[in-house]
Each structure stands twice: as structure tokens, then as C-alpha cells.
Amino acid sequence: MESIQWDEQIPYINFGVMVLSTLLMTIFYLLSSRPAQLEKKIGEVAYQRCGRYRMIASVFELILIGTYVAYSYYPLPLPLPETFPWDYWLSVAWALIIGIPAGYIMLRGVIDAGEESMLPRKKGKLFGGIYKKLRHPQAIGELPLWWSMSLLLNSPFLALYSIIMIPIFIMMAKFEEKDLEIRFGKKYLTYKENTGFFIPKKAE
């Protein structure tokens, strides 16, 4: 009887961890995206601290991914279909159609940003490569991957839950830009005018 009751609690526990990890991932990423602002208070050590915040945010993101996988085994008892109403191979096809280009954009962003993807540096510079057309390729590349994962896990609930990532990623990008304006000043403001936020735009 106890094991049955425990099994019944797993979906709720997993969902709680999902929400908590989403919240903590967001908080620590936002904290990590303000080294120039924090430097005014604690000096150059702010960049190391923000690097640690970014690492912590990544850990919570991995936990969040784990809760997505767990949800496919332990869904909440909701008035929603547990799986999509079409053949699974269609979900896989759509996941690949969405995920391959999105993953490429994200990877290009990581490569072109270099180690500053995880460790912000005071003497950093504006990135080249894909950043010449997109200000936030890592964000716009990663965002669709949540729906790719939901399709692969065959979960309508996860697809709906992933909608919350849209305002989260926009907020993350806005916080980063505010700090980059402090770090690079007029140079970054000019870059913003000539470069797309999430949609590519040819620089003038």
C-alpha cells in the first residue's frame, strides 16, 4: 500500500521540481547576466561571481531537462491527452525539423561567443560570426529545443509548459543587453541598431 501511495506522489513531486528548477534556472541566469552592474559594487570579482551563477543556472537547467524526461513516465492526472493524437514518427519528424536548425544556431552562438558563453570577462569584446546578424543566437537556438524535446517525449503537457520559456528567454536577453550597454557603451548601442534581436537582420 505504501509503495502505491508513493507512486501516486511521484508526478506531483516531479512537477514541483520542474517548477522550482525553472524558477532557479531563471534567477541564477539573470544574476549571471549583470557583471558590469555588479562590478560597481564589488569590483572585478563580479565577473567570477557571475560565472559561478551561470554554472549554477546550467545545473538547474539540466535538472529541468531531467524532469521533462521523468514527466513522460509520471504524468500528472490532468484532463489532457498523455500523448499527441498522431503517430509518434510524426512527432519525431517534427522534432528533427525544429531541432536540427535550432541546435545549429545555438551551437554557432556558443562557438562564436567562446568561453564567455559561460564565463563573462571584463575585457571581453563584441562577438563576430553569427552575432553579426543575431544578438542572441544561443537563446533563439535553444528556445525551440524545448518543443523538440516535448515532441520526442510525446507530451502535450510539456509542449504547453514550454510556452513559459518564451518570456523567460526574452527577459534573459533583455537583462544581458542592459549589462552589455554598460560594458560597451555607444559601441553596443550602434550594434543593436544594426543587428536583429531574435530575427536575423543584415547589418548596415
Side-chain angles (χ1 to χ4, degrees):
M1 181 66 68
E2 291 182 0
S3 62
I4 295 176
Q5 292 177 347
W6 169 248
D7 288 344
E8 291 175 350
Q9 296 303 314
I10 292 178
Y12 298 98
I13 294 171
N14 183 64
F15 179 67
V17 175
M18 181 184 295
V19 173
L20 183 61
S21 57
T22 301
L23 179 62
L24 291 174
M25 175 192 74
T26 303
I27 290 172
F28 278 101
Y29 194 93
L30 294 178
L31 288 172
S32 78
S33 64
R34 53 189 299 271
Q37 298 173 68
L38 187 59
E39 183 185 14
K40 295 178 181 179
K41 298 179 180 179
I42 64 173
E44 291 190 17
V45 70
Y47 290 86
Q48 294 178 357
R49 180 176 295 183
C50 286
R52 289 195 292 270
Y53 289 150
R54 186 69 54 88
M55 293 289 186
I56 294 171
S58 298
V59 170
F60 283 115
E61 185 171 17
L62 288 174
I63 294 172
L64 178 57
I65 292 171
T67 64
Y68 266 54
V69 175
Y71 189 91
S72 65
Y73 293 98
Y74 300 100
L76 290 170
L78 299 173
L80 283 173
E82 290 189 6
T83 61
F84 291 108
W86 50 75
D87 292 339
Y88 180 62
W89 70 268
L90 284 172
S91 291
V92 174
W94 276 111
L96 294 175
I97 290 170
I98 296 169
I100 291 175
Y104 171 77
I105 292 171
M106 185 182 73
L107 183 60
R108 277 290 306 274
V110 171
I111 292 172
D112 291 343
E115 60 183 18
E116 193 156 338
S117 289
M118 293 298 295
L119 300 171
R121 297 185 180 280
K122 180 178 174 60
K123 296 182 179 180
K125 59 182 181 179
L126 292 177
F127 310 137
I130 196 171
Y131 286 89
K132 293 179 180 179
K133 294 185 177 181
L134 273 175
R135 301 205 299 273
H136 301 282
Q138 293 182 59
I140 194 58
E142 181 180 339
L143 186 55
L145 294 179
W146 294 98
W147 283 279
S148 288
M149 183 162 49
S150 300
L151 286 164
L152 288 174
L153 295 171
N154 207 18
S155 173
F157 171 82
L158 293 177
L160 289 173
Y161 184 84
S162 296
I163 293 173
I164 197 175
M165 297 301 174
I166 297 174
I168 286 175
F169 275 63
I170 291 174
M171 182 169 54
M172 288 176 175
K174 292 291 187 180
F175 267 63
E176 285 184 345
E177 292 202 341
K178 183 177 180 181
D179 204 74
L180 289 168
E181 288 176 11
I182 295 173
R183 291 170 66 185
F184 298 107
K186 186 177 180 180
K187 186 176 180 180
Y188 189 77
L189 293 175
T190 301
Y191 168 73
K192 283 179 65 176
E193 292 177 0
N194 297 314
T195 313
F197 183 73
F198 277 176
I199 300 174
K201 182 173 71 173
K202 185 177 181 180
E204 297 178 0

